Amino acid sequence: GEGPEMPPGQKAPPKFPENVSQSIEAADMQVGFNTRVKWEEGNLAKAVNGTLNLQTEVKVEITLPPPLSFLPGFLLRQAGGLVLRAASASLLPRFGELVAEDYRRWSRN
């Protein structure tokens, strides 16, 4: 067959030409993270909560083989930036929640 049937009203993801799919799979990607964590104690007597501040810097370097390597650099940077911002918007808040939960567990024991 041609793959699984899609629910009514939902379109299948676009199919990339074989050489583009192979280029994506052959891309070399290096990712580095640098996270700074700052905790400010609250004041129970004044009913002030503590504050957890996380700053994360992500560096991504991708080497693309042809035909993707022939695309203009600004176009690749814009597309990559959009993908990273979308991923960060969904991942970083949850990461912060997990760190806060770990801190709460640690501070109680």
Side-chain angles (χ1 to χ4, degrees):
E2 294 180 18
E5 282 190 36
M6 299 301 295
Q10 187 176 0
K11 293 182 180 179
K15 298 263 186 203
F16 288 111
E18 189 65 29
N19 61 344
V20 172
S21 294
Q22 289 171 349
S23 290
I24 292 170
E25 291 172 8
D28 178 33
M29 182 167 67
Q30 303 294 321
V31 180
F33 296 91
N34 183 16
T35 300
R36 288 176 293 285
V37 179
K38 181 180 177 184
W39 173 256
E40 292 181 19
E41 285 292 328
N43 186 327
L44 290 177
K46 296 181 180 179
V48 176
N49 289 331
T51 303
L52 177 66
N53 183 331
L54 301 171
Q55 289 183 315
T56 301
E57 178 183 31
V58 180
K59 287 189 175 188
V60 178
E61 186 176 308
I62 301 174
T63 303
L64 297 172
L68 294 176
S69 62
F70 299 130
L71 293 171
F74 75 91
L75 183 63
L76 291 171
R77 282 188 295 278
Q78 282 186 327
L82 287 172
V83 169
L84 285 175
R85 278 190 291 282
S88 296
S90 63
L91 294 175
L92 290 179
R94 181 63 183 141
F95 175 71
E97 291 170 6
L98 292 172
V99 171
E101 289 172 16
D102 284 348
Y103 177 80
R104 281 188 216 102
R105 274 194 298 274
W106 171 82
S107 67
R108 288 183 189 136
N109 293 331

